[in-house]
Each structure stands twice: as C-alpha cells, then as structure tokens.
Amino acid sequence: MKQITQNIYYVGVNDRNKTLFEGLWPLPNGVSYNAYLINDEKTCLIDTVEVDFFMPFLENLREVLGDRQLDYVVVNHMEPDHSGSLALLRQFFPGVQIIGNKKTFDMLGGFYHLTEGLMEVKNGDTLDLGKHQLQFVLTPMVHWPETMMTLCGTTLFSGDAFGCFGALNGAWIDEQMNCEVFWQEMTRYYSNIVGKYGTPVQMALKKLAGVQVDYICATHGPVWHEYVQKVIALYDRLSKYEAEPGLVICYGTMYGNTERAAEVIARAAADAGVKNIVMYNVSKTHHSYIIRDVFRYKGLIVGAPTYNTGLYHEMNVLLDELSQKDIKGRYFGWFGSYGWASKAVTEIKKWNEEKLHYEQVGEPVEIRQSLTAETTAQCEALARAMAEKLTTVNS
C-alpha cells in the first residue's frame, strides 16, 4: 500500500500513452492522475482519475478499503482528468456523498448528471472523519472557477496547483525519487495551464500563509514533502511574473536568412555578458516550451519573415498565445525580414502595442532579402541593448 502519512494513501494512476495533454501540450514522459484516500472512521477519497483508468484506480481503492464502503469523495477540481470517474464511482459505492462547492455542483450535473447525494461546502468549512479533520479552502480560478483545496492537518490536497507533467516511475513521493526532471515540467505545466491566473494564485497563497504544510498532494506529479518550500516558492515567483536575467530568442525562417540574423543576435548578446540564452525555431519547437522559457527569463527577442503580406504564421500564433498568458514585465525586441514586401516588423510592433505591452528594448531590425553589413550591425546593437537591460537586472 502506498501510504503517505498515517492512514492517508496514494491511489492514483499513470498515463504513459497520451501524447498531448488536453490535446495541446506534449507529454514526453507521460502524466499521472493523482487521487488520495483517507482511511478513518469515515472513509474519504480526494479526487478521482480519468475515466479510462477507472479499473486500476478501483483496484487501488480496494487494496486500502478492503470490504469497507466509501463515505465521501471530495472534488477539488472538476476537469474530467480528475472528476471523470465520479459517475462510475457512484455505481460501485452508491452511498458515497460528493463534497464540493456551489460552482462544483453547477458543473457536476452538466458533466455527469449527478444531482443527488451532494454536500456543499464553503470556504473554511470543516468535516470530521474521526482522527482526521478536513478544512476546505476555496481557490477560484486556480485555474477553473470551482477549484478548491483541502487541508488535513499538515497535508494539503492542492488540486492542479503545484502539479506537473510526467508519470511517476515507481515512487510517488519526492524524497524517494530523483526530481530533476520535474522542475522544468512544473514550470511548463504552470506557464501553459495556470499561468494566465497569477492574481488568483497569489490570493490562494495568501489564504495558505501561516499554515504549516508538510505534504502537498497535487493531482499531477509527485507528492511533495522534502521540497515543499521550494515548490511553494516557485509558484510564488511564477505567479508574480518574476524572471531570471536571461534571454529567449525565437524566430521563424523559410530559407535561413532570418535564422542567420537570430544567430548574430545570440552571439552578440553572449559577447555582451548574457549567460542564459535559449533559442527556438517556432516551426520546430512546440510552443509550450517557448512559453515556459518566456516565464523563466526576463528578455525576449522575436524575429520572422513577411509571409503573404503579413506575419509568418507560426510567429503570429506564438504572439497570440503569449498575449493570452498575460505575462507582465518583460523586455522585448524584434526583427524581421522580407523578400519583396515589408510587413513583419510592423506586425510584431502592432502585437506589442495592442496586446503584449512589453517594454521595448533597442531598435527593431528590418532585413531586406539577406543580411548586409549594416543590418548585421543593427542586430548586434539590438543584442547589446537587451544585454544592457538584463545585466542591469542581474546587478
């Protein structure tokens, strides 16, 4: 049995087959769907799993419960990867009461037509299971309107908050595994799924301030124990849109001319003292990794060619995605190229003025057909201007 602490058990499952989470985000290492069971005088399940994994999930429950019935199931989050087994669970445990808040139940009927056996809770409400007492903390818009967390002593069942991509390879608690693979995946998970909601995340963290938390039981990724403070600090930093003094350079290119300009910029930035530089071809790298690093680093320089008298498609898509994340406080520079009609530079400028609202750094560079000595010098000047900003932040 996978016991976390006294009579609290991990009963989740792993998905190593799905290639795209929510049909959008790559899963090179799979993903876990975490659920937890408290085996007390009253038995209580915290969240369920995606419905395709119901049978192994049921086996995990039976391993802990034996012949006992399930009294309660807490629904911290209604996304189907966590609530998808509720209807089947009710068939196997017909007397189970479903605990959630008003917004939970607004969705429960729509998703699963479950309208009876419900117990509504409000922020701060408690439930006595015997030796364990639950307290419910409503955390709306982290990252759906109904999301909440459940405290059980010093154990926090946090829903999607503090979660990350990646299946669990045998161990389920951080101190039993090498967690290096999870830190970047936590940032990618946060930036692409939760990242738009920095203010609600800050409100949730304030509600938890002063609460001793020894275990964080999220719905994806490891159970956090050894690294609880590191995990909370990471969420605090990301939700404030704070960033390291590094530079993301991303570009679109058709025949290599825009890419060569990006290389000039990268070399010049490195020569000027920027150590953290990452480069991405927007047509080759999934945008979730680029968005992750825009959350990580303070500087962003983008470049693309004109295409069909507009902006190169993949760059257009990336800028649209960034605009939806509401990332604040970034330094921004840009460059563009064209063969016979100039448009890319003005389109990127328009994105920044109307949607992104980042601080412009340096002068945009416009390249006609291929680099010249003049435009090469302009690319280097753009890089030095960004480096000056970033090294000032670092100092």
Side-chain angles (χ1 to χ4, degrees), residues 34-35 45-50 57 73 81-86 89:
N34 299 342
L45 175 66
I46 312 291
D47 292 307
T48 72
V49 303
E50 192 168 279
F57 170 59
V73 54
D81 55 333
H82 309 301
S83 66
S85 291
L86 284 171
L89 191 76

Side-chain angles (χ1 to χ4, degrees), residues 8 38 129 132-135 150-157:
I8 300 178
I38 304 172
L129 301 178
H132 297 77
Q133 186 177 77
L134 304 184
Q135 182 178 9
T150 302
L151 274 166
C152 180
T154 60
T155 300
L156 175 66
F157 301 98

Side-chain angles (χ1 to χ4, degrees), residues 195-330:
K196 180 180 178 69
Y197 304 105
T199 298
V201 170
Q202 279 292 306
M203 293 175 66
L205 291 174
K206 285 181 174 63
K207 286 185 177 181
L208 297 170
V211 176
Q212 181 178 341
V213 177
D214 294 331
Y215 294 88
I216 295 177
C217 299
T219 46
H220 299 293
V223 173
W224 300 110
H225 178 49
E226 182 178 352
Y227 293 112
V228 162
Q229 294 307 314
K230 179 175 180 176
V231 166
I232 293 173
L234 177 61
Y235 253 61
D236 185 44
R237 179 175 63 81
L238 290 170
S239 60
K240 291 176 180 175
Y241 304 100
E242 295 176 353
E244 302 171 46
L247 174 60
V248 180
I249 302 171
C250 50
Y251 62 89
T253 192
M254 289 186 288
Y255 304 112
N257 291 302
T258 317
E259 183 175 45
R260 282 188 279 276
E263 294 283 4
V264 170
I265 292 169
R267 286 196 301 271
D271 289 343
V274 181
K275 292 184 178 180
N276 294 322
I277 301 174
V278 290
M279 295 184 68
Y280 293 112
N281 182 328
V282 293
S283 298
K284 182 179 179 181
T285 301
H286 192 277
H287 292 180
S288 67
Y289 295 94
I290 302 173
I291 293 168
R292 175 198 67 190
D293 284 344
V294 174
F295 264 83
R296 289 179 64 200
Y297 295 124
K298 186 74 171 177
L300 173 63
I301 295 177
V302 305
T306 298
Y307 195 84
N308 283 341
T309 65
L311 182 59
Y312 187 71
H313 176 265
E314 286 301 313
M315 181 58 70
N316 214 44
V317 171
L318 175 65
L319 295 177
D320 182 50
E321 291 168 337
L322 288 173
S323 74
Q324 294 177 39
K325 300 303 179 186
D326 199 28
I327 306 168
K328 300 174 176 64
R330 296 298 181 266

Side-chain angles (χ1 to χ4, degrees), residues 324-385:
Q324 294 177 39
K325 300 303 179 186
D326 199 28
I327 306 168
K328 300 174 176 64
R330 296 298 181 266
Y331 298 140
F332 188 55
W334 64 95
F335 61 101
S337 62
Y338 68 98
W340 51 269
S342 170
K343 197 67 174 178
V345 166
T346 57
E347 286 298 301
I348 296 171
K349 178 182 179 182
K350 184 178 178 182
W351 269 110
N352 193 44
E353 290 178 345
E354 296 183 1
K355 298 286 187 178
L356 298 173
H357 308 299
Y358 298 153
E359 180 181 339
Q360 179 180 337
V361 174
E363 291 298 320
V365 182
E366 187 168 55
I367 302 159
R368 183 174 185 270
Q369 291 150 6
S370 65
L371 282 168
T372 63
E374 181 181 3
T375 52
T376 296
Q378 291 170 357
C379 287
E380 292 170 342
L382 174 59
R384 287 193 296 270

